[in-house]
């Protein structure tokens, strides 16, 4: 009992100079919980006679360990050195700084979110944004919801509930954590009609599946995998030409690629030229803006979707609308601020990636490091199987896992990859403003391990 009383009191620990900075970072009540739990644990250890002669320094040290752990769970800046440009785990596309700054004021003051200034009465949200999206995509009408998964769900449930949706077997994909096309269809109250095989689907497969209960054909871009070799399915254009006009064809394009001449990816302009009835895609993949599900296509269909009661649950708020509007206007004006992030990064030449890797390499020359050629990918469910040549810093070390872990635990976490028993730091996606930090942090870590 006597020993317990010697322990530092909660309120003293809470104000301790090493604990105080965490109030701002994770909030005082959460710091208090952590300090309380730590003291409780120490008391138990004393009771069980597992430790003795506990000092204040020891307790504070234990607190700081737990406080650091909590701090690392907060949303924060990390350095993406993984070689995947749009990493779903790392926030996909960063937002352009000027776009962000220009969208600020309508967020920190009142605004006309649902007020029509011209008519001087209640208005509809995001109508101007929809006009901008129509201009960008060429489609007649547009709608924006929380994310692309939400877009697909809303399309399915408002246009096909209780009816059949035809999907090729080769397109029944799982995209990232938990987004499975067949599951979403079921949840939206539609029945899935599978056609073709995993590798081959023909026009006749689609035609033969159509009956009076068919709501539409859903085409899904198989974002994160590619079937190689003997595989085939009709292009959007051929499919649209061959299928009765009364059966809409809806295309989940996924990445938001407007115009891609370099690959056979069926992008949004191709879908428009093929007379596809509706397309949908994510706002924060290749498109290059914020998390959103963007739907574009025929006005009559968009109208039905926008009137569905669930639209209220899927709609986006002022922050998303303001950033998307700003981005869309810059895009229509061909401004540098609206060059999508992955394009900007890939256009930043290999020379630049090599230069950054060389800076790191020179600074760490006492250690087993080298500049190596390493290919990067766009990620974000676009262009599977497509790699772009680039450079990385390769670090060899006897305790590679510890070095990698120390990198992640540093004050701005550096996220890298292990490949062939070396740590690869892909420099392409390291912002120039972070290079000095990476340089000093790596030197520290390598010196102490
Ligand atoms: C990424 C992706 C989705 C899911 O989009 P979210 O915006 O993450 O909800 C759906 N379909 C395709 C084809 C995708 O690539």
């Amino acid at each position: 009992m006597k020993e317990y009383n010697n322990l530092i009191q909660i309120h003293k620990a809470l104000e301790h100079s090493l604990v105080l900075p965490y109030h701002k970072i994770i909030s005082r009540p959460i710091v208090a919980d952590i300090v309380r739990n730590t003291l409780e644990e120490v008391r138990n250890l004393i009771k069980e006679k597992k430790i003795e002669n506990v000092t204040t320094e020891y307790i504070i040290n234990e607190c700081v360990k737990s406080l650091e752990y909590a701090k690392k769970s907060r949303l924060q800046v990390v350095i993406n050195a993984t070689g995947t440009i749009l990493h779903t785990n790392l926030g996909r596309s960063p937002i352009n700084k000027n776009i962000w700054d220009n969208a600020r004021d309508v967020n920190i003051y009142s605004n006309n979110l649902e007020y029509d200034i011209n008519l001087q009465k209640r208005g509809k949200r995001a109508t101007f944004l929809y006009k901008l999206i129509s201009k960008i995509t060429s489609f007649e009408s547009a709608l924006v919801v929380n994310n692309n998964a939400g877009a697909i769900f809303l399309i399915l449930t408002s246009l096909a509930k209780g009816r059949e949706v035809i999907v090729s077997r080769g397109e029944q994909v799982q995209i990232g954590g938990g987004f499975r096309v067949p599951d979403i269809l079921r949840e939206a109250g539609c029945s899935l009609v599978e056609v073709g095989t995993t590798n081959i689907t023909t026009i006749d497969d689609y035609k033969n599946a159509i009956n009076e209960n068919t709501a539409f054909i859903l085409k899904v871009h198989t974002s994160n995998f590619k079937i190689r070799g003997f595989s085939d399915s009709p292009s959007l254009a051929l499919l649209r030409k061959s299928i009765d006009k009364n059966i809409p064809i809806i295309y989940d394009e996924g990445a938001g690629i407007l115009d891609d001449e370099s690959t056979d990816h069926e992008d949004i302009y191709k879908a428009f030229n093929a007379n596809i009835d509706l397309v949908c895609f994510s706002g924060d993949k290749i498109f290059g803006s914020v998390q959103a599900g963007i739907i574009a296509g025929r006005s009559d269909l968009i109208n039905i979707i926008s009137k569905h009661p669930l639209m209220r649950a899927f709609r986006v708020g002022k922050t998303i609308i303001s950033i998307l509007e700003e981005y869309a206007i810059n895009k229509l004006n061909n401004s540098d601020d609206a060059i999508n992030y992955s394009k900007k990064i890939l256009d930043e030449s290999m020379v630049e990636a090599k230069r950054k890797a060389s800076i790191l390499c020179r600074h760490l020359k006492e250690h087993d490091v080298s500049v190596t050629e390493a290919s990067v990918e766009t990620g974000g469910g676009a262009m599977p199987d497509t790699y772009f040549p680039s450079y990385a810093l390769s670090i060899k070390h006897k305790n590679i896992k510890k070095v990698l872990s120390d990198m992640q635990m540093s004050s701005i976490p550096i996220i890298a990859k292990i490949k062939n028993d070396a740590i690869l730091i892909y420099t392409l996606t390291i912002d120039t403003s972070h290079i000095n930090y990476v340089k000093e942090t790596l030197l520290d870590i390598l010196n102490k391990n």
Side-chain angles (χ1 to χ4, degrees):
M1 220 23 162
K2 207 168 123 218
E3 244 190 306
Y4 296 178
N5 296 337
N6 288 341
L7 295 184
I8 184 170
Q9 289 166 310
I10 286 184
H11 73 273
K12 286 227 173 95
L14 203 50
E15 304 302 326
H16 190 278
S17 65
L18 293 175
V19 171
L20 211 52
Y22 289 94
H23 293 200
K24 231 184 144 82
I25 303 171
I26 56 173
S27 88
R28 190 185 157 97
I30 289 184
V31 174
D33 284 350
I34 289 171
V35 169
R36 199 177 300 112
N37 288 342
T38 308
L39 281 170
E40 186 65 36
E41 276 161 26
V42 172
R43 271 194 200 96
N44 286 337
L45 288 173
I46 295 172
K47 205 164 15 181
E48 292 162 17
K49 303 213 179 326
K50 290 196 176 128
I51 46 169
E52 50 188 30
N53 302 327
V54 173
T55 61
T56 297
E57 196 188 355
Y58 170 84
I59 293 171
I60 295 297
N61 203 16
E62 290 301 297
C63 287
V64 168
K65 275 192 218 158
S66 302
L67 291 166
E68 260 310 296
Y69 193 92
K71 175 182 159 184
K72 286 278 185 278
S73 351
R74 243 194 95 167
L75 189 61
Q76 60 200 275
V77 174
V78 306
I79 292 168
N80 175 8
T82 61
T84 302
I85 299 172
L86 299 172
H87 202 301
T88 294
N89 301 159
L90 306 181
R92 291 190 184 159
S93 178
I95 297 164
N96 175 280
K97 184 181 178 304
N98 293 336
I99 303 273
W100 175 266
D101 288 345
N102 292 341
R104 171 180 175 272
D105 277 9
V106 289
N107 285 285
I108 67 171
Y109 299 106
S110 294
N111 59 58
N112 59 334
L113 181 64
E114 282 185 4
Y115 186 77
D116 188 321
I117 299 169
N118 292 310
L119 299 179
Q120 304 184 4
K121 60 173 195 174
R122 195 198 154 133
K124 285 205 174 115
R125 117 178 5 215
T127 45
F128 192 72
L129 172 62
Y130 298 160
K131 192 179 289 205
L132 294 168
I133 300 286
S134 299
K135 273 271 173 277
I136 289 178
T137 59
S138 315
F139 282 96
E140 204 174 18
S141 240
L143 192 66
V144 176
V145 295
N146 183 50
N147 58 15
N148 194 28
I152 294 160
F153 182 85
L154 202 58
I155 291 170
L156 286 165
T157 203
S158 50
L159 302 178
K161 193 171 190 164
R163 297 172 68 201
E164 294 177 358
V165 175
I166 303 172
V167 189
S168 157
R169 278 209 169 77
E171 295 174 9
Q172 310 222 349
V173 295
Q174 164 153 356
I175 294 151
F179 179 85
R180 285 185 167 178
V181 172
D183 294 347
I184 296 245
L185 250 104
R186 186 165 16 81
E187 291 299 325
C190 319
S191 19
L192 170 66
V193 176
E194 301 180 79
V195 295
T197 61
T198 306
N199 58 335
I200 305 276
T201 304
T202 65
I203 297 277
D204 280 342
D205 290 331
Y206 282 106
K207 277 191 172 163
N208 294 336
I210 293 173
N211 62 41
E212 68 288 344
N213 204 22
T214 302
F216 59 78
I217 291 173
L218 178 65
K219 290 280 290 172
V220 182
H221 175 61
T222 53
S223 303
N224 45 10
F225 77 100
K226 204 168 196 167
I227 298 170
R228 279 190 261 197
F230 184 56
S231 77
D232 201 14
S233 75
S235 69
L236 291 175
L238 185 61
L239 187 63
R240 184 61 287 178
K241 269 196 214 111
S242 321
I243 297 293
D244 188 308
K245 285 273 166 297
N246 294 323
I247 304 291
I249 298 177
I250 295 179
Y251 177 43
D252 173 12
E253 188 271 344
I257 301 173
L258 294 166
D259 192 4
D260 179 11
E261 283 159 1
S262 62
T263 70
D264 56 4
H265 176 77
E266 299 236 63
D267 57 47
I268 293 157
Y269 291 157
K270 284 189 193 120
F272 173 76
N273 289 326
N275 284 318
I276 291 303
D277 301 80
L278 274 185
V279 296
C280 62
F281 57 91
S282 298
D284 57 354
K285 291 184 179 172
I286 303 280
F287 185 69
S289 191
V290 276
Q291 180 190 306
I294 302 176
I295 307 172
R298 267 168 52 190
S299 293
D300 58 330
L301 299 179
I302 296 270
N303 238 334
I304 297 170
I305 300 166
S306 68
K307 293 206 167 85
H308 192 278
L310 274 179
M311 182 60 205
R312 182 70 167 68
F314 284 73
R315 70 183 190 184
V316 287
K318 60 176 181 259
T319 310
I320 299 299
I321 296 171
S322 60
I323 295 170
L324 269 178
E325 267 191 10
E326 193 62 34
Y327 186 73
I329 289 168
N330 277 275
K331 214 168 189 52
L332 289 167
N333 290 343
N334 290 321
S335 143
D336 282 352
D337 291 338
I339 297 173
N340 70 55
Y341 179 74
S342 53
K343 180 169 166 45
K344 192 183 250 148
I345 288 292
L346 287 170
D347 285 353
E348 188 176 293
S349 62
M350 283 171 72
V351 180
E352 184 56 18
K354 191 176 186 180
R355 187 185 70 83
K356 288 189 272 189
S358 307
I359 293 173
L360 299 180
C361 192
R362 264 198 308 281
H363 197 68
L364 304 169
K365 61 180 182 297
E366 308 297 325
H367 298 278
D368 192 356
V369 296
S370 61
V371 175
T372 174
E373 282 183 38
S375 48
V376 296
E377 57 187 337
T378 59
M383 301 186 262
D385 245 12
T386 309
Y387 294 91
F388 302 88
S390 190
Y391 287 92
L393 178 80
S394 162
I395 304 178
K396 293 223 166 90
H397 194 277
K398 59 184 189 310
N399 204 347
I400 201 167
K401 291 234 166 79
K402 174 73 165 48
V403 171
L404 196 75
S405 158
D406 284 357
M407 281 165 54
Q408 304 219 13
M409 287 318 207
S410 66
S411 66
I412 308 175
I414 304 168
I415 319 288
K417 261 207 288 225
I418 294 181
K419 215 169 182 179
N420 303 330
D421 296 325
I423 295 175
L424 289 190
I425 316 263
Y426 289 82
T427 45
L428 193 74
T429 44
I430 303 180
D431 197 273
T432 316
S433 65
H434 282 147
I435 284 290
N436 260 334
Y437 171 81
V438 173
K439 195 171 94 174
E440 299 306 335
T441 306
L442 288 179
L443 185 62
D444 260 12
I445 292 172
L446 290 173
N447 281 344
K448 76 166 194 253
N449 275 295

